Amino acid sequence: MSSVFVYCEIEDGQVADVSQELLTKGRTLANELKCKLEAIAIGSKLDKVGDQIIPYGVDTLYIADDERLFPYQTLPHTSIVVNLFKEQKPQIALMGASSIGRDLGPRVSSALHSGLTADCTSLVIGDHYDKKQDKNYENLLYQIRPAFGGNIIATIINPDCRPQMATVREGVMKKEILDPKYKGKVVKLDVAKYVSDEDFVVEIIERHMEKSKVNVKGAPIVVAGGYGVGSKENFKLLYDLAEVLGGEVGASRAAVDSGLAGHERQIGQTGITVRPKLYIACGISGQIQHRAGMEESAQIIAINTDPEAPINSIADYVITGDVAEVIPKMIKYYKKNSK
Amino acid sequence: MKAYNIIVLAKQVPDTRNVGKDAMKADGTINRAVLPAIFNPEDLNALEQALRIKDQFPESKINILTMGPGRAADIIREGLYRGADGGILLTDRAFAGSDTLATSYAIGQALKKMGKIDMIIAGRQAIDGDTAQVGPQVAEKLGMLQITYVEEVLEVTDKTVTVKRRLENGVETAKCPMPLVMTVNGSAPDCRARNAKRIMKFKKARTVTELQKENEDYTALYNEHPDLMIQEWTVNDIETDASQLGLTGSPTKVKTVENVVLQAKDSKIISAADDEIEAMMVELIKSHTIG
Ligand SMILES: Cc1cc2nc3c(=O)[nH]c(=O)nc-3n(C[C@H](O)[C@H](O)[C@H](O)COP(=O)(O)OP(=O)(O)OC[C@H]3O[C@@H](n4cnc5c(N)ncnc54)[C@H](O)[C@@H]3O)c2cc1C
Ligand SMILES: Cc1cc2nc3c(=O)[nH]c(=O)nc-3n(C[C@H](O)[C@H](O)[C@H](O)COP(=O)(O)OP(=O)(O)OC[C@H]3O[C@@H](n4cnc5c(N)ncnc54)[C@H](O)[C@@H]3O)c2cc1C
């Protein structure tokens, strides 16, 4: 049975969070399909990445190590992945829906004429019956993703072409080491066989990467706190909720001004504009300047002690109650009901 | 003076940012009729980058290529109002149901007919399909280099383009050889406004199909004002392999679609009681909003 494959992104010798999350998901899918989990790491000075990657339950890790392969460039990375996929013929290939994965994935999929589903929020194995051909497909990858600005959820399948390729954003899947002592093998690729000199046509003149970043803008779920959250302790609850849901914490200006949150998190007219699929407004009254930065969210939950708070008029769910009481319950019932 | 041949890829999209309560039909499909059809926002950022290159090298030519139904001719008129030199509408039922790969194939085959191209500039992502895949796939189909997430074209020289790329956690400056495909981010400068003189001039620009609908004598119009002709290409105007087009040429299939817009914004009012909060969380997990 051909394998599930994960492309691992590496920066400064560290495997990206999104890749670790995909390895965890890949392992689950491989178990279900009773096949191997394989991974590829492309870059420079990769001696130590095996120790980071194998424990996720990776059976074979391919390494392409060459000075010229870091930082990421489209053509050489594409050549390696395309040629390796032609040899190994994986049935599923996963990449981060990151600046790298969304540059590489479509190029690879075009070269292999295999479908690619962008930005999946859920990946499950399932069967499919095709009426027109009266044909049954077993064990396809259901690639579930929002589209139309988060207003619809589509389940996409690739019945006939392989690999079935999907990208997933950071924070969507959970990461979990399978076994620190997992026995997987490492295969070093002969890079010259996979790339040609013509692949190195781009000259990277300058590069600035920030290590840890607050990315409220890109988060699919934003838990935002206002003045009504009241204290730093209560604000901690918002971080807990954001963490379990895979979201980020935002804030109103009143919360920022009173020191409850950093300025980089301020949402509104004089802050950032967000359009997540879910916005949870905690102790925020919903003044027009705040709404300017969040009212295009696909769904809004308002938690406010005041049943007449202006935010309620644009909310899908209005919870009349105290933040300190409601949030722990949301965490509890999310954990209880999600798999 | 150096001149560049630039193609801007632009898509007409339903304005998914303003989805109201009647935007979804009962069966979960999009009610396109109530959503205004607009110029995909990041394609306007792409057009602006092209116009800036033309500002610097005025002999350059900018043509817009759009694939879509007949009314997508609006995209080309909009481009003309803002400074593009012309455009082509690629339209045929054979393209219906295309995924990004079949879309890129059709667009790629059209581009192959357009002579020597120096730069193809696309938006990063369209706001309906939301995949950001068409730009890189078009590049692959043409065997060209792609450079994604462009925020600013810093310099164009004889054979190279230097750009600033905005990545999720940083910036990169890269020098790339032409020809190439660039995709432009929404964080790039907004597109300049329409030009009043150009509106006066190009509001009559039409495709043949549009003129036939309006019962206009197009040969007369086009003879007198060749620049008012919006070229319309069907599958017969480009070389294609039918197995790579439309639904047949699309490896990905949409199995099911669910509508997640709550009917209207009638809020659900709930209390802090355990059972009510649990019911809400279950609903959100079911609709894939969380989990
Ligand atoms: C619910 C749903 C989910 C979908 N999911 C997927 C999926 O995961 N994978 C997949 O392969 N297909 C998918 N599709 C199909 C995809 O949306 C269409 O193929 C679409 O025509 C092109 O993709 P996009 O809108 O995502 O464009 P993007 O790739 O986001 O567009 C990027 C840029 O390419 C240019 N461009 C794109 N389309 C055109 C055009 N018609 N004319 C001119 N320029 C253009 C524009 O410059 C645009 O800014 C999905 C469709 C639906 C309805
Ligand atoms: C030019 C200008 C620009 C501005 N730009 C911005 C901006 O970018 N972003 C921004 O956010 N604001 C901005 N503002 C400020 C804005 O007008 C509001 O003052 C601000 O949004 C209010 O923040 P708030 O909702 O957190 O606080 P408040 O208005 O004080 O609301 C607190 C809310 O919490 C509720 N509450 C209290 N206790 C609890 C509890 N225990 N549990 C649950 N709910 C509780 C209350 O009922 C109330 O609704 C701007 C103002 C101006 C004039």
Side-chain angles (χ1 to χ4, degrees), chain A residues 116 145 156, chain B residues 9-11 43 67 98-100 123 126 131-134:
Chain A
L116 171 62
R145 67 173 299 246
I156 303 208
Chain B
L9 300 182
K11 184 184 185 187
D43 300 350
M67 178 173 118
S98 296
D99 72 354
T100 60
T131 68
Q133 290 176 184
V134 171

Side-chain angles (χ1 to χ4, degrees), chain B residues 218-231:
Chain B
Y218 59 87
T219 39
L221 179 86
Y222 289 165
N223 280 338
E224 224 174 295
H225 305 282
D227 52 352
L228 292 186
M229 176 162 94
I230 297 179
Q231 293 188 62

Side-chain angles (χ1 to χ4, degrees), chain A residues 303 317 319-322 325-334 337, chain B residues 270-284:
Chain A
I303 307 170
Y317 294 91
I319 306 179
T320 305
D322 189 324
E325 184 190 349
V326 173
I327 294 184
K329 288 186 184 175
M330 289 174 73
I331 295 173
K332 177 172 156 198
Y333 291 115
Y334 172 74
N337 291 292
Chain B
I270 57 191
S271 77
D274 284 71
D275 55 336
E276 297 191 26
I277 293 194
E278 180 162 21
M280 176 185 78
M281 296 311 277
V282 168
E283 232 174 77
L284 292 170

Side-chain angles (χ1 to χ4, degrees), chain B residues 206-261:
Chain B
R206 290 288 183 279
T207 61
V208 173
T209 308
E210 286 175 320
L211 287 171
Q212 285 170 339
K213 266 196 197 140
E214 295 163 8
N215 277 324
E216 289 274 344
D217 175 3
Y218 59 87
T219 39
L221 179 86
Y222 289 165
N223 280 338
E224 224 174 295
H225 305 282
D227 52 352
L228 292 186
M229 176 162 94
I230 297 179
Q231 293 188 62
E232 202 172 17
W233 288 1
T234 68
V235 74
N236 299 320
D237 296 296
I238 58 177
E239 250 172 64
T240 54
D241 161 5
S243 72
Q244 298 208 45
L245 292 178
L247 216 48
T248 322
S250 299
T252 65
K253 316 276 177 212
V254 177
K255 184 173 164 65
T256 52
V257 168
E258 269 173 73
N259 171 4
V260 294
V261 184

